[in-house]
């Protein structure tokens, strides 16, 4: 990848609000994930993404999820297991019209059931949308 492409990938990954030194756990990796986005995340954090088996505290989670991948609620609960309080969970799903697209209502339902809520959604790569999931504040 050229330095210009590296910079573009890093700028895209920076939209996720990640910063240098953070440990980010990745779930749902497969051959269809966006390699440039993954590279950008690693460039922004300065660390390699850790896999689903990682059992130390993490600063954030990136979840690649497609319709048919299983139970999203269970996956969100798994992602929270080693996540530091307040750490972001980014759910990456195929954009509308792409194979494996997950409806926003399905995301909301799984998030609510797991104690989270969808905070924002935006396109993050050619075939992927990013939804930030956060914990519900008190009084909700």
């Amino acid at each position: 990848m050229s330095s210009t492409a590296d910079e573009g990938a890093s700028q895209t990954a920076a939209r996720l609000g990640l910063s240098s030194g953070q440990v980010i756990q990745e779930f749902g990796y497969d051959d269809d994930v966006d390699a440039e986005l993954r590279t950008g995340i690693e460039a922004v954090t300065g660390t390699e993404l850790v896999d689903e088996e990682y059992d130390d505290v993490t600063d954030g989670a990136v979840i690649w999820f497609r319709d048919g991948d299983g139970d999203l609620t269970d996956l969100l609960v798994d992602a929270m297991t080693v996540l530091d309080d307040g750490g972001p969970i980014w759910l990456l799903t195929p954009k509308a019209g792409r194979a494996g697209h997950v409806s926003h209502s399905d995301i909301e339902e799984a998030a609510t059931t797991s104690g989270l809520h969808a905070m924002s959604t935006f396109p993050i790569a050619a075939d992927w949308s990013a939804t930030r999931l956060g914990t519900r504040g008190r009084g909700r």
Side-chain angles (χ1 to χ4, degrees):
M1 189 183 311
S2 71
S3 65
T4 304
D6 284 343
E7 290 171 18
S10 293
Q11 288 174 352
T12 299
R15 292 182 66 196
L16 301 177
L18 305 176
S19 59
S20 180
Q22 288 185 313
V23 175
I24 306 301
Q25 189 170 25
E26 180 180 43
F27 295 83
Y29 176 85
D30 206 340
D31 59 3
D32 65 343
V33 303
D34 190 276
E36 286 185 21
L37 179 56
R38 291 184 81 249
T39 300
I41 291 169
E42 291 177 340
V44 166
T45 62
T47 61
E48 290 186 17
L49 293 166
V50 297
D51 67 15
E52 298 173 17
E53 303 303 317
Y54 189 80
D55 64 357
D56 202 352
V57 176
T58 62
D59 300 302
V62 170
I63 301 170
W64 303 92
F65 188 82
R66 307 137 199 93
D67 185 39
D69 275 358
D71 190 299
L72 179 55
T73 302
D74 288 346
L75 189 54
L76 294 175
V77 170
D78 289 348
M80 291 187 294
T81 302
V82 295
L83 184 66
D84 192 26
D85 288 343
I89 295 176
W90 285 100
L91 179 62
L92 306 175
T93 56
K95 290 180 179 175
R98 310 295 202 286
H101 172 70
V102 181
S103 73
H104 190 72
S105 61
D106 288 346
I107 293 170
E108 279 285 354
E109 181 180 341
T112 300
T113 302
S114 61
L116 300 167
H117 67 108
M119 298 169 62
S120 60
T121 301
F122 54 87
I124 192 71
D127 293 319
W128 296 88
S129 293
T131 301
R132 182 177 177 144
L133 303 175
T135 57
R136 296 201 176 271
R138 292 184 184 170
R140 285 192 177 195

